[in-house]
Amino acid sequence: MKRFFPWNKEQRVRKDILRGVYEENLRIVGKGPAVIYKTRFYSAKRLMLPFLISLMILMFQESFVPTPMQQRSQITANTFQKAYQPSAGGVSEEGPSNYKSFISSPGMPISRIFGLGVRTIMIDPGHGGNDTGTKGEMGTKEKDIALDIAKRLRDRLKKYGNYNIVLTRDSDVTVPLNRRVEMAKASKADLFLSIHLNYLPSRPINIIETYYFGPSSDPKILKLAEQENAESSYGNSDFREIIGKIGDTMKLQESKEFAASIQKKLFMNMRKETGTAYNFGVKRAPFVVLLGVDVPSVLAEVSCLSSKEEEVQLNTESHRENIARYLELGILEYLNKGDVTHEARRHTEK
Amino acid sequence: MKQDDIQKNENILYAGIDLGTSRSSISASNGTRQWIESYVGWPKDFIAAQVVGKPVLFGAEALQNRLSLDLCRPLEHGVIKEGISRNEEAVKDIIKYLIELAEPAPDQKIFAVVGVPADTLKVNKLAIRKAVTDFVHSLMVVTEPFAVAYGMNLLNNSLVIDIGAGTTDFCIMHGTIPSEDDQKTILTAGDYIDDQLYSYLIEKYPGSRFNKNMVRQFKEQYSFVRDLDEDIRVEIPVAGKPVMHDIKNEIKRACESILPALTETTIEMIARFDPEFQVKIKNNIVLAGGGSLIRGIKEYLQDALKEYGPCNVTCVQDPLFAGSDGAIKLAKDMPVKYWEPL
Ligand SMILES: Nc1ncnc2c1ncn2[C@@H]1O[C@H](COP(=O)(O)OP(=O)(O)O)[C@@H](O)[C@H]1O
Ligand SMILES: [Mg+2]
Ligand SMILES: [Zn+2]
């Protein structure tokens, strides 16, 4: 065996490693310090980091530059209006339908409408790191479950070969909300799905609901938004102004459709599986992540940690895999809306 | 080792366990070394239970009785396999059985280090811990290639490549406990070779009866890459009569099917580090796992990497126990204060 360092140094390394193993295991059971071991050697990734950060800053600034798109959309709106008729999606609650602003959000990809090949789907497991999210009675943490489901969903979608799947985090790290937004832009995501878990202390039942960005006057929803936005610097009052400005864009139309598909598949299958899911439907809420991303984006509360029964289920592999599958079905349904062959296939599969 | 005294006083049994996708082994401080195939089978119904006479069967015995059993290979793809509800139970049963094989004294405390495939640790951390906690007093879980590296004193400047059945695990050691970035798992490994070989053979000899088990045995007996100066012929019954089959070319093609991903991932893992460290790692590459027994694989990798400068690839002495031996070394070296009761 070759040794590259003297004996006492090796002893020290060994000691460090043993302590590392111990601490890592403490972390597994959720007791340990959140120490991340330093690599003594720099990696290519590390060299890229300053570059990436400056890139993100640049992009972030760019997103604040007002674009003269609004005028252009007025001219072209009529042509597009004929080509594109979104289906009703079975959602009752919504704002005014207005397709004039069809291309008013500059980042809106046309891949779905024109059925173009590769699509980038960004999956956003909520919370992470210092931000635990909600927590069940047994100690199950929202951040862990959301991450696990997100990874499963990624793996499922990857199997199709034609989707590029990006996660906003794939480990237990803190990712600020605006970082998530920037990542969606940087990776040119076509679709954005944020995965969260609900907690309603007054109602120990399993509630499924899906949100897209928009105003809300429901105090419960505003409370939830406050929770999910907790580590952003915005408050609910800031949103009122923003909402007024963005109006009813294509992004919102699409987000609503996307939310409808997710909610439908999630709830129907969840109810089939557990028999006890409650459908709280598609709703609007001022969530920071959904605002920032300029492509169809939804936030799904895929399960509920205030239900003891559900919390137990969430600790089984099969249930988390099932939820990932329902989300997969929702995404596929959204992407394939209007695709005749898909419809046909669905009917034969019944 | 200072801790030897404490061991005797406190009556502790240290155990290193390698929880593999196809084979699992235990090395214990009382000298026991045992391995089983990572199969668990439970009788399908009460009649089957009568036939096999046990509530649960393991390894080869489970395979032999497969028709009477619900058979489970819980870590088949490197993670606790989804969909089958009894996987977690199976992991538990394997651990329990391995510890029984080590025959701890009734009053002995068991301190165990368990090595699992890198991806299992990422995804199933808690599940693995839960599966083990009932049978031990204190426990650490580590990744399998890390256990191998530790056991061989490869604490720094090295790359361990563990070619198992379901997964090939890569692990770079640089003087600290490896992070997720330092480890990578790919799914081209022993099972993949078996699948390839099986399909090549049924294609070449459509009239002959092969099964996966036979095919794996052929592979384990004759595996090689690149060139070999001997013929490979096996006897397989065709319409009831034993007939010789030449399978040399198929063995070669099947074994070589894992090489591109192996080489690519090796290069990718090394390339992440700065040049000075790259040179050191390349001189310290170790192949472990059953796949390291493929003849010529070490030389192949060495030549493939030579393009990027000199390098040195070696194979572990005893692939079956390299993981559990490493794990028990970790267990014995671990300061007593770190062994917290569960
Ligand atoms: N001589 C050999 N040549 C090629 N493959 C082998 C040989 N011996 C064992 N194997 C294969 O190695 C794999 C088992 O290796 P192992 O390290 O025990 O895997 P794991 O740790 O995943 O359980 C199996 O696919 C087995 O067929
Ligand atoms: Mg192994
Ligand atoms: Zn949340």
Side-chain angles (χ1 to χ4, degrees):
Chain A
M1 202 82 37
K2 281 199 188 108
R3 288 218 168 83
F4 292 99
F5 34 72
W7 175 247
N8 59 348
K9 190 174 171 201
E10 174 169 336
Q11 286 298 82
R12 207 176 60 224
V13 167
R14 188 181 300 278
K15 249 178 73 189
D16 280 356
I17 288 183
L18 291 169
R19 201 189 55 233
V21 168
Y22 166 69
E23 286 176 351
E24 168 115 1
N25 274 272
L26 278 186
R27 270 196 297 284
I28 295 177
V29 292
K31 289 198 284 193
V35 188
I36 292 159
Y37 267 77
K38 278 180 287 177
T39 314
R40 292 192 298 124
F41 302 90
Y42 52 88
S43 60
K45 267 190 206 159
R46 196 152 301 185
L47 292 176
M48 287 282 288
L49 203 63
F51 172 72
L52 278 179
I53 289 172
S54 35
L55 195 73
M56 279 180 171
I57 291 171
L58 273 177
M59 294 173 90
F60 197 60
Q61 284 170 345
E62 194 178 66
S63 67
F64 283 116
V65 176
T67 45
M69 275 298 205
Q70 206 62 37
Q71 288 145 351
R72 190 140 50 89
S73 73
Q74 304 279 328
I75 307 164
T76 44
N78 286 336
T79 0
F80 276 94
Q81 204 173 336
K82 289 190 196 101
Y84 177 69
Q85 294 289 345
S87 65
V91 188
S92 52
E93 177 262 316
E94 67 195 281
S97 295
N98 172 13
Y99 302 121
K100 262 190 228 145
S101 42
F102 179 73
I103 53 166
S104 68
S105 75
M108 179 64 205
I110 48 174
S111 55
R112 174 161 110 87
I113 298 138
F114 297 116
L116 299 178
V118 181
R119 297 177 174 108
T120 298
I121 301 173
M122 185 151 233
I123 305 169
D124 174 45
H127 313 277
N130 301 331
D131 174 13
T132 310
T134 62
K135 214 160 128 184
E137 229 175 274
M138 292 159 54
T140 311
K141 295 174 191 149
E142 178 181 7
K143 62 171 186 177
D144 295 333
I145 301 292
L147 177 60
D148 183 78
I149 292 173
K151 283 181 171 174
R152 288 169 192 278
L153 177 59
R154 171 189 62 193
D155 296 345
R156 300 190 76 94
L157 291 169
K158 268 195 174 157
K159 290 198 191 110
Y160 295 96
N162 50 344
Y163 301 122
N164 174 28
I165 315 296
V166 188
L167 261 56
T168 51
R169 64 178 180 99
D170 65 356
S171 59
D172 185 16
V173 291
T174 313
V175 185
L177 293 175
N178 59 355
R179 253 307 275 292
R180 294 176 202 243
V181 171
E182 286 161 35
M183 283 162 93
K185 285 179 185 164
S187 62
K188 296 206 163 64
D190 297 301
L191 213 54
F192 186 96
L193 170 64
S194 192
I195 298 174
H196 287 252
L197 277 79
N198 227 329
Y199 189 92
L200 281 87
S202 56
R203 317 201 50 181
I205 53 175
N206 184 18
I207 288 155
I208 312 286
E209 54 192 356
T210 307
Y211 288 94
Y212 65 105
F213 186 84
S216 175
S217 50
D218 180 342
K220 280 203 211 86
I221 290 182
L222 289 173
K223 179 101 192 24
L224 181 67
E226 218 165 283
Q227 275 167 26
E228 304 289 24
N229 294 336
E231 54 70 32
S232 87
S233 51
Y234 294 105
N236 275 337
S237 61
D238 297 311
F239 288 119
R240 231 164 288 143
E241 199 189 328
I242 302 169
I243 291 162
K245 279 185 196 149
I246 61 166
D248 185 26
T249 59
M250 178 64 191
K251 171 195 149 188
L252 291 190
Q253 297 294 332
E254 285 294 315
S255 297
K256 197 180 91 194
E257 293 245 352
F258 184 19
S261 293
I262 292 285
Q263 176 67 14
K264 183 172 117 196
K265 292 294 176 189
L266 198 53
F267 167 68
M268 272 174 28
N269 288 294
M270 193 77 130
R271 170 118 108 200
K272 231 183 272 165
E273 189 199 339
T274 66
T276 56
Y278 286 78
N279 186 6
F280 273 37
V282 169
K283 296 174 179 172
R284 291 183 299 207
F287 293 131
V288 162
V289 273
L290 301 186
L291 169 68
V293 177
D294 27 347
V295 295
S297 44
V298 306
L299 185 151
E301 305 273 359
V302 301
S303 166
C304 192
L305 278 170
S306 49
S307 157
K308 186 78 189 277
E309 223 180 292
E310 179 65 9
E311 187 184 1
V312 170
Q313 281 303 307
L314 283 171
N315 277 285
T316 67
E317 177 111 34
S318 56
H319 188 52
R320 289 176 318 223
E321 184 67 31
N322 279 337
I323 294 179
R325 186 159 58 88
Y326 309 153
L327 292 171
E328 173 196 15
L329 292 173
I331 290 174
L332 289 188
E333 179 183 82
Y334 167 73
L335 287 173
N336 291 311
K337 261 183 191 163
D339 175 347
V340 183
T341 56
H342 176 76
E343 291 297 323
R345 218 176 318 124
R346 253 200 358 214
H347 287 303
T348 57
E349 283 167 10
K350 92 180 167 342
Chain B
M1 202 103 314
K2 271 176 278 160
Q3 287 179 36
D4 279 357
D5 305 337
I6 302 160
Q7 260 178 65
K8 287 189 198 98
N9 289 345
E10 291 223 351
N11 200 8
I12 291 162
L13 181 73
Y14 289 93
I17 293 176
D18 166 4
L19 204 54
T21 61
S22 84
R23 282 163 204 186
S24 297
S25 58
I26 184 165
S27 303
S29 56
N30 62 9
T32 315
R33 276 166 115 222
Q34 294 272 1
W35 69 274
I36 59 169
E37 304 207 51
S38 308
Y39 284 93
V40 180
W42 302 277
K44 277 190 173 133
D45 48 40
F46 67 90
I47 299 168
Q50 291 292 326
V51 173
V52 299
K54 292 177 193 171
V56 52
L57 282 74
F58 298 93
E61 197 187 2
L63 280 171
Q64 277 156 23
N65 289 287
R66 62 194 317 149
L67 294 178
S68 309
L69 304 175
D70 286 328
L71 205 61
C72 175
R73 188 179 157 195
L75 296 171
E76 184 165 4
H77 300 291
V79 296
I80 293 187
K81 216 172 112 196
E82 322 123 13
I84 296 171
S85 55
R86 301 188 82 173
N87 271 303
E88 295 187 11
E89 192 183 343
V91 172
K92 215 166 166 164
D93 281 341
I94 288 178
I95 298 277
K96 179 165 178 250
Y97 184 64
L98 284 171
I99 290 175
E100 279 167 17
L101 287 177
E103 300 184 340
D107 54 345
Q108 232 172 354
K109 281 188 179 171
I110 300 167
F111 287 2
V113 170
V114 179
V116 299
D119 270 12
T120 312
L121 193 59
K122 267 190 235 166
V123 183
N124 305 105
K125 284 186 177 110
L126 269 172
I128 293 280
R129 281 194 68 95
K130 258 188 12 218
V132 185
T133 42
D134 288 356
F135 315 108
V136 300
H137 291 86
S138 189
L139 165 73
M140 313 257 176
V141 185
V142 297
T143 68
E144 177 62 26
F146 168 69
V148 172
Y150 190 88
M152 298 182 67
N153 256 324
L154 297 167
L155 306 183
N156 207 351
N157 309 323
S158 59
L159 169 62
V160 173
I161 306 174
D162 181 357
I163 309 170
T167 61
T168 297
D169 288 336
F170 297 76
C171 176
I172 296 232
M173 293 295 294
H174 47 65
T176 62
I177 175 172
S179 69
E180 284 191 7
D181 274 358
D182 298 323
Q183 306 186 66
K184 184 160 180 164
T185 298
I186 58 175
L187 294 175
T188 39
D191 291 344
Y192 184 80
I193 298 178
D194 298 349
D195 290 345
Q196 300 298 310
L197 184 55
Y198 181 75
S199 66
Y200 296 153
L201 289 178
I202 55 173
E203 191 185 335
K204 183 166 175 186
Y205 300 110
S208 312
R209 301 261 295 184
F210 297 94
N211 66 45
K212 286 268 167 83
N213 214 27
M214 263 163 87
V215 164
R216 196 185 69 221
Q217 281 166 16
F218 294 156
K219 174 196 72 177
E220 291 182 7
Q221 195 167 352
Y222 299 109
S223 66
F224 77 101
V225 297
R226 305 214 288 195
D227 302 315
L228 190 71
D229 276 342
E230 63 189 53
D231 286 344
I232 300 177
R233 292 168 182 282
V234 293
E235 227 172 57
I236 298 159
V238 178
K241 275 186 297 173
V243 176
M244 286 309 264
H245 292 64
D246 176 0
I247 61 167
K248 181 172 177 178
N249 203 33
E250 287 64 39
I251 292 267
K252 175 180 155 85
R253 272 172 70 202
C255 291
E256 289 182 347
S257 69
I258 63 164
L259 297 179
L262 182 73
T263 317
E264 245 171 64
T265 311
T266 305
I267 292 169
E268 183 194 317
M269 293 293 288
I270 297 175
R272 291 172 41 245
F273 293 87
D274 67 296
E276 187 200 346
F277 188 52
Q278 282 184 22
V279 173
K280 290 181 180 170
I281 301 179
K282 270 191 300 198
N283 277 297
N284 228 351
I285 298 176
V286 176
L287 298 181
S292 66
L293 295 169
I294 296 172
R295 287 173 288 176
I297 195 162
K298 174 185 102 173
E299 291 79 8
Y300 169 87
L301 190 62
Q302 196 156 302
D303 287 351
L305 298 177
K306 275 221 173 90
E307 212 179 295
Y308 306 87
C311 76
N312 182 38
V313 183
T314 53
C315 293
V316 296
Q317 293 277 318
D318 187 353
L320 209 44
F321 288 104
S324 54
D325 285 354
I328 193 173
K329 184 167 159 54
L330 254 167
K332 285 178 167 174
D333 287 356
M334 191 66 68
V336 181
K337 63 178 177 197
Y338 289 162
W339 289 109
E340 293 181 352
L342 296 170

